[in-house]
Amino acid sequence: MITTERLQFKYSEEREEEALRDVSVTIQDGEFVAVLGHNGSGKSTFAKHLNAILLPVGGTVYVDGIDTKDERRLYDIRQAVGMVFQNPDNQIVATVVEEDVAFAPENLGVPSAEIRKVVDWALETVGMGGYKRHAPHLLSGGQKQRVAIAGVLAMKPRCIVLDEPTAMLDPIGRREVVATLRRLNKEEGMTIVLITHNMDEAVSADRVVVMSGGGVVLDDTPRKVFADVARIKALGLDVPQVTELMYELRREGLDVPTEILTVDEAYQALKCRCISGVSG
Amino acid sequence: MPLYIGGIGLIIKAENLSYTYAEGGPFEIGALHGVSLTIGKGELVGVIGHTGSGKSTLVQHFNGLLKPTAGSVTVCGVDTSAKRADLKAVRQKVGLVFQYPEHQLFEETVRRDIAFAPQNLGLSPTEIDARVREAAALTGLPEALLDQSPFALSGGQKRRAAIAGVLAMKPEVLVLDEPTAGLDPRGREEILAQIKALHRETDITVILVSHGMEDIANTVGRVFVMNQGTIAMEGAPLAVYSRYEQLEQMGLTAPQVTRLMKTLCGVDVCTVKQAKEYLLGVLRRA
């Protein structure tokens, strides 16, 4: 779906530091990839290369085999890869939910019967079918962000890149958005690239790419990535509490598994030992 | 534990506080219903609750931005709903740091931004300079950054600069509404450590509003849980978090270790460190 080859980027000629250096990542069709990194790690800069908002200073980005530097193919690239940003308020343009979602297909000149269908489908898919006639400014943050996602879905992209879509949401809003992304990935086969610094969200991805200093430092399943607790913490990131707990117990010399991500897994791993410990 | 029993050393007291937005209008909506609480001088307390639970409405009463629709709020001895209440004095004593306070930065340099409030108090230039330095030190902003544009700072630094601007007023109470929202894990930890240090080094009362249960567990001595405009629970974090099933019904998520240790061993913990120490004891004996 997307390939970057030795991607390099600088924000200005004068500034020496590179925002991205030699980033080579391949994202397969249908993958759910989380890109994790602290502020300034280059993760948002990377995201903006995935639908040609930014163009590489060095190296190449291919979307569906198209070089993003090819200006004539810009619409094809943007059609294939949709982008959702951090603040839902900056992305909603209309005063009625369904009109907002219809904005893109209207501009593409899609026939109105077709628009009706695509808007209904997009809103149903994000679980906002009951809010078609609502005013966006009266929705909660999580609902607004889901409307923003529906607006991108109405373009029928094959991949959605989301740049910290939950940073401004409360825990409930976060859960709604992440559940929506999982469903899009599993049921619609949509490729999802989720940029985040929240480890809870990265845990729900199939693969985690960790960025630091403009480069990729780890690229593996969430289980493998988070098991490296010392490394993740040194990068200014967090791991799930249970992962940290198991790591700490192991450091104290206890033979416990470390590739643990959820409360249930930790419970299963510690259950027998604790019960025998208490009774003994 | 500060003394606030019987009104000694009490700094904030709400009695039967109710607040209704747009009272009497077509969009009338009750946000607080009969909230009573006391906060002692020098305490570090947390207020948690999901969006719409009333926590922001509550703290806006603490510096007189909102006045009760019914009931009363007394802050630093001033009843904010009294006819001639000196709200100016209350606002000088209670600094409120809003969500995303960095949006309020506006000056050309960090120094001038922090100096804005003391300047408006009509203080002398030497006093203003002293306050700027002190506020910067208390928030962990290096001197070297003071002459930079606030807009050239990182997200975490901007937030410190904005908090420093409030501290330069020398408030007796500091209310922080979601001070870690949108920060990455390191920025979050730094801000929380700085808040704890500030509380330790000065006699300021700190009220921390958050929906980050982990943040609150490691930081405060006492926590209020807001739900549907009322105080649903109150107490030490450990005691409150142990009722995690109820918290979950209110849309809050208890820390992973709290849930794990309760099901595993039936004990209450709220931090990874507590869980580790307990488990080490049990497993080493085994």
Side-chain angles (χ1 to χ4, degrees):
Chain A
M1 177 81 229
I2 299 173
T3 305
T4 73
E5 278 174 6
R6 303 191 56 111
L7 166 59
Q8 293 175 10
F9 187 76
K10 271 187 190 181
Y11 275 99
S12 76
E13 283 294 316
E14 303 92 70
R15 296 235 312 256
E16 274 299 300
E17 79 242 64
E18 292 173 311
L20 291 177
R21 50 183 127 196
D22 287 344
V23 176
S24 299
V25 171
T26 297
I27 293 160
Q28 305 289 347
D29 240 328
E31 259 194 307
F32 186 157
V33 183
V35 179
L36 193 64
H38 57 81
N39 291 343
S41 61
K43 61 188 191 304
S44 290
T45 309
F46 174 72
K48 292 190 178 108
H49 279 86
L50 303 183
N51 77 344
I53 292 175
L54 294 176
L55 295 175
V57 169
T60 324
V61 178
Y62 296 102
V63 172
D64 267 343
I66 309 167
D67 185 337
T68 58
K69 281 190 198 132
D70 188 349
E71 261 177 62
R72 291 162 307 169
R73 306 292 300 276
L74 187 62
Y75 282 3
D76 295 328
I77 293 165
R78 298 244 167 104
Q79 175 94 57
V81 181
M83 183 85 85
V84 175
F85 298 97
Q86 191 178 92
N87 190 345
D89 289 328
N90 295 345
Q91 299 167 77
I92 291 175
V93 292
T95 51
V96 180
V97 165
E98 62 178 5
E99 285 177 14
D100 189 80
V101 177
F103 182 79
E106 272 174 350
N107 279 283
L108 292 176
V110 175
S112 60
E114 191 63 25
I115 292 179
R116 180 75 263 165
K117 264 201 277 181
V118 81
V119 167
D120 288 346
W121 166 78
L123 282 170
E124 285 302 329
T125 307
V126 299
M128 290 295 289
Y131 293 85
K132 280 174 204 156
R133 302 283 158 87
H134 283 234
H137 72 279
L138 297 176
L139 301 177
S140 74
Q143 290 173 330
K144 279 192 264 192
Q145 194 61 292
R146 285 187 286 153
V147 170
I149 294 172
V152 171
L153 280 180
M155 294 278 286
K156 292 260 183 183
R158 289 174 39 235
C159 172
I160 302 186
V161 178
L162 304 102
D163 192 1
E164 298 195 37
T166 64
M168 303 184 88
L169 306 184
D170 65 6
I172 295 177
R174 272 190 191 166
R175 251 177 277 161
E176 289 169 359
V177 167
V178 173
T180 302
L181 297 180
R182 281 200 73 84
R183 205 168 54 243
L184 279 174
N185 177 253
K186 297 287 169 279
E187 289 168 19
E188 306 284 333
M190 189 88 62
T191 309
I192 305 284
V193 181
L194 174 62
I195 315 294
T196 182
H197 52 232
N198 185 311
M199 46 84 196
D200 285 328
E201 286 162 22
V203 163
S204 51
D206 300 327
R207 173 178 160 204
V208 179
V209 174
V210 182
M211 293 193 67
S212 184
V216 173
V217 288
L218 289 166
D219 182 352
D220 213 323
T221 61
R223 203 170 288 285
K224 299 261 190 234
V225 164
F226 289 118
D228 200 349
V229 174
R231 182 92 186 269
I232 295 289
K233 290 231 157 182
L235 291 169
L237 296 167
D238 253 350
V239 299
Q241 282 193 331
V242 289
T243 315
E244 183 176 356
L245 177 64
M246 299 307 264
Y247 167 82
E248 289 289 334
L249 291 176
R250 202 177 174 92
R251 277 218 318 188
E252 295 288 337
L254 292 171
D255 179 28
V256 291
T258 51
E259 290 181 13
I260 296 283
L261 291 176
T262 66
V263 173
D264 276 346
E265 290 169 9
Y267 177 77
Q268 293 304 332
L270 292 170
K271 186 175 59 176
C272 327
R273 308 182 50 143
C274 269
I275 290 162
S276 64
V278 171
S279 60
Chain B
M1 213 46 190
L3 273 176
Y4 55 88
I5 302 145
I8 307 160
L10 196 113
I11 200 155
I12 292 176
K13 182 177 187 182
E15 275 180 306
N16 238 335
L17 160 62
S18 294
Y19 186 79
T20 308
Y21 283 102
E23 197 190 14
F27 296 108
E28 175 177 305
I29 182 162
L32 294 175
H33 312 283
V35 171
S36 296
L37 60 81
T38 53
I39 295 170
K41 200 166 169 37
E43 262 199 288
L44 171 51
V45 300
V47 179
I48 54 178
H50 81 81
T51 311
S53 61
K55 55 191 195 306
S56 293
T57 307
L58 175 66
V59 299
Q60 287 179 47
H61 281 85
F62 293 166
N63 77 344
L65 273 182
L66 296 178
K67 288 186 186 181
T69 312
S72 71
V73 177
T74 310
V75 182
C76 303
V78 179
D79 178 352
T80 62
S81 39
K83 264 237 162 73
R84 291 182 198 281
D86 188 357
L87 292 181
K88 202 175 159 201
V90 169
R91 290 187 187 133
Q92 279 183 21
K93 287 178 182 162
V94 182
L96 184 54
V97 179
F98 289 99
Q99 285 184 37
Y100 298 98
E102 59 275 19
H103 295 170
Q104 297 164 42
L105 295 169
F106 68 101
E107 266 288 7
E108 280 173 27
T109 66
V110 175
R111 189 187 300 281
R112 287 175 59 168
D113 206 286
I114 300 175
F116 182 75
Q119 242 157 17
N120 280 286
L121 291 179
L123 301 176
S124 72
T126 16
E127 172 67 12
I128 292 171
D129 185 57
R131 285 200 179 194
V132 170
R133 282 163 193 273
E134 193 187 340
L138 283 172
T139 50
L141 269 182
E143 284 255 14
L145 290 181
L146 291 182
D147 292 311
Q148 287 194 18
S149 160
F151 303 103
L153 306 182
S154 77
Q157 287 169 339
K158 274 187 203 165
R159 193 155 298 179
R160 285 150 192 266
I163 296 173
V166 173
L167 286 177
M169 294 282 283
K170 292 220 178 207
E172 290 176 29
V173 181
L174 181 67
V175 182
L176 299 139
D177 194 356
E178 299 283 359
T180 63
L183 295 182
D184 69 359
R186 185 171 288 166
R188 201 178 67 217
E189 247 168 62
E190 284 172 0
I191 287 279
L192 290 172
Q194 208 69 53
I195 291 168
K196 274 199 266 189
L198 170 73
H199 178 252
R200 205 170 43 235
E201 287 159 21
T202 65
D203 53 5
I204 197 166
T205 307
V206 181
I207 299 166
L208 184 60
V209 181
S210 178
H211 46 230
M213 303 269 288
E214 284 85 359
D215 290 359
I216 292 277
N218 290 315
T219 314
V220 307
R222 200 155 66 100
V223 58
F224 297 99
V225 182
M226 297 287 298
N227 189 40
Q228 296 179 348
T230 61
I231 294 183
M233 297 184 205
E234 175 191 344
L238 201 57
V240 166
Y241 286 22
S242 70
R243 295 157 72 184
Y244 67 93
E245 278 147 333
Q246 267 169 286
L247 290 173
E248 268 159 30
Q249 281 166 8
M250 297 174 198
L252 295 164
T253 314
Q256 277 192 332
V257 288
T258 307
R259 281 179 286 153
L260 173 69
M261 296 303 287
K262 191 81 171 183
T263 45
L264 195 63
C265 316
V267 295
D268 296 332
V269 302
C270 54
T271 64
V272 173
K273 205 171 155 224
Q274 291 164 352
K276 173 188 161 187
E277 276 156 16
Y278 183 86
L279 282 174
L280 280 178
V282 171
L283 296 175
R284 281 203 171 130
R285 253 186 289 135

